[in-house]
Amino acid sequence: MRIRAVLAVAALAATTALAACSGDTGPLSTTATQPRTDAVGQAPPAAKKAAPACNPRASLRPEPGGLPSPGDMPAGSYMRTIQERGRLVLGTSQDTLLFSSRNPFTGQIEGFDVDMGRQIAEAIFGDPGKLQIKVIAYDKRVSSAADGSVDIVADTMTANCERWQDVLFSSIYYEAGQKVLVSKTSTAKSIEDLGGKKVCSAAGSTSIENVAKVKTKPIPVAKAVFGDCLVAFQRNEVDGISTDDTILAGMAAQDPYAKVIGDRFTDEPYAMAISKEHPEFARFVNAVLERNRADGTWKKTYERWLGDFGAAPSPPKAQYDK
């Protein structure tokens, strides 16, 4: 599926109204609602207690013997609980074009992340349609997985050591990184060329912190959601937007006068989040990802949603330490 401008226009309304979903800073959120923010020159948040050192890419090794047959999940496992319920509950957003956004023609939420959830459902039921999508705010991704509000979260979510304290992560299924979006008339080649310029990102995100760390000192402008950043950019209130390249690609698809420049200046490995109470489910998900890397499913999923950006890269190689 190629990017369609008309789809993007409708998605813009969604991005404006709803919380975006990249790199939120913290581990387990304790706030009920993220306040709207419109801060210029936002200082980095107060230093948080550092999480124990870890390899955030290393997950739980799949069980030996391969995947159980669809519809025949092991007794006593969380997969059997899901099977008996009759649907897998996926937590995701509806405003991240290409990864999880609402199709204005069908009303369905679709994208790369949603397909990750459908592939897990297919492995459990033999039917990818047995999926219930629950829209969650970006600052609820960790808590929703931790408290069992959803079975799994796939939502452009970076695996890091802080979050590993609260949830389990699958193996890495997508490698993203932070870039910057500017006007097509801009001469900037990277975020370093935006020193003294206003660069927008979501309040409370790791992205806004990273903007503040750039040596040439662009001026961070924090908005409540990334959709607000795009509106501010289109009103010439800011000179650029900086966050994960995946989200910027969706924004560029919505705005023909925008372009994404420069190399990634951070690493954002995406993984699916699962409650710590269900390690067998994490091992099952990793087995599904292993199979999909090997049989070309991952490549087909990339081509379906991200093929406009070039040939599919090799899928991220799984790392295990448990």
Side-chain angles (χ1 to χ4, degrees):
M1 175 179 178
R2 297 307 189 205
I3 300 167
R4 293 173 296 182
V6 64
L7 203 169
V9 170
L12 173 59
T15 56
T16 304
L18 298 167
C21 54
S22 91
D24 51 294
T25 305
L28 195 61
S29 172
T30 56
T31 55
T33 303
Q34 184 173 345
R36 295 189 68 83
T37 305
D38 192 5
V40 177
Q42 175 185 327
K48 300 180 290 286
K49 184 177 180 180
C54 76
N55 176 3
R57 297 170 181 270
S59 185
L60 281 65
R61 192 176 304 280
E63 295 287 357
L67 286 164
S69 299
D72 188 22
M73 296 297 106
S77 70
Y78 190 63
M79 294 83 78
R80 175 62 73 90
T81 299
I82 295 170
Q83 178 187 324
E84 292 175 349
R85 183 199 303 143
R87 65 192 187 282
L88 172 73
V89 182
L90 169 71
T92 191
S93 59
Q94 62 175 348
D95 60 329
T96 308
L97 194 65
L98 306 179
F99 276 78
S100 52
S101 63
R102 190 174 296 278
N103 184 315
F105 299 105
T106 66
Q108 300 297 309
I109 297 174
E110 60 186 22
F112 190 97
D113 279 340
V114 174
D115 278 4
M116 290 292 111
R118 293 195 184 284
Q119 289 159 17
I120 304 303
E122 184 171 25
I124 295 173
F125 300 104
D127 180 355
K130 291 192 173 183
L131 182 75
Q132 177 185 346
I133 294 176
K134 185 173 183 178
V135 174
I136 54 177
Y138 84 101
D139 64 343
K140 300 298 182 189
R141 294 177 296 178
V142 172
S143 59
S144 295
D147 66 14
S149 302
V150 300
D151 295 319
I152 193 166
V153 173
D155 193 11
T156 62
M157 189 172 183
T158 300
N160 61 35
C161 294
E162 287 78 11
R163 291 171 177 163
W164 264 107
Q165 295 179 102
D166 297 310
V167 294
L168 301 173
F169 280 108
S170 71
S171 58
I172 304 303
Y173 69 87
Y174 191 87
E175 295 279 3
Q178 190 165 344
K179 288 190 175 182
V180 64
L181 175 146
V182 296
S183 167
K184 279 190 174 175
T185 60
S186 173
T187 58
K189 301 298 183 185
S190 74
I191 194 169
E192 299 287 346
D193 295 330
L194 296 178
K197 304 288 186 182
K198 293 179 179 177
V199 178
C200 189
S201 199
S205 68
T206 51
S207 300
I208 194 75
E209 293 180 36
N210 292 332
V211 171
K213 295 175 184 174
V214 175
K215 291 181 180 178
T216 56
K217 298 188 181 306
I219 301 170
V221 177
K223 297 286 186 179
V225 298
F226 286 107
D228 288 349
C229 282
L230 184 57
V231 172
F233 174 76
Q234 292 171 330
R235 290 176 175 171
N236 295 319
E237 295 171 1
V238 299
D239 301 283
I241 304 169
S242 186
T243 185
D244 295 357
D245 50 359
T246 50
I247 295 173
L248 294 181
M251 290 184 179
Q254 296 172 64
D255 188 337
Y257 302 103
K259 62 181 179 182
V260 180
I261 59 170
D263 297 326
R264 293 172 175 173
F265 57 96
T266 67
D267 292 324
E268 308 293 343
Y270 290 170
M272 289 178 267
I274 297 164
S275 167
K276 281 191 161 184
E277 295 184 7
H278 309 306
E280 77 279 17
F281 185 40
R283 296 183 193 279
F284 176 85
V285 169
N286 285 341
V288 176
L289 291 173
E290 283 277 17
R291 182 191 64 187
N292 291 357
R293 291 185 190 98
D295 70 6
T297 299
W298 187 94
K299 181 174 182 287
K300 290 177 182 176
T301 307
Y302 183 97
E303 291 171 342
R304 180 183 185 199
W305 296 107
L306 305 169
D308 278 355
F309 303 109
S314 297
K317 189 174 181 179
Q319 297 181 34
Y320 305 116
D321 67 353
K322 305 170 185 71

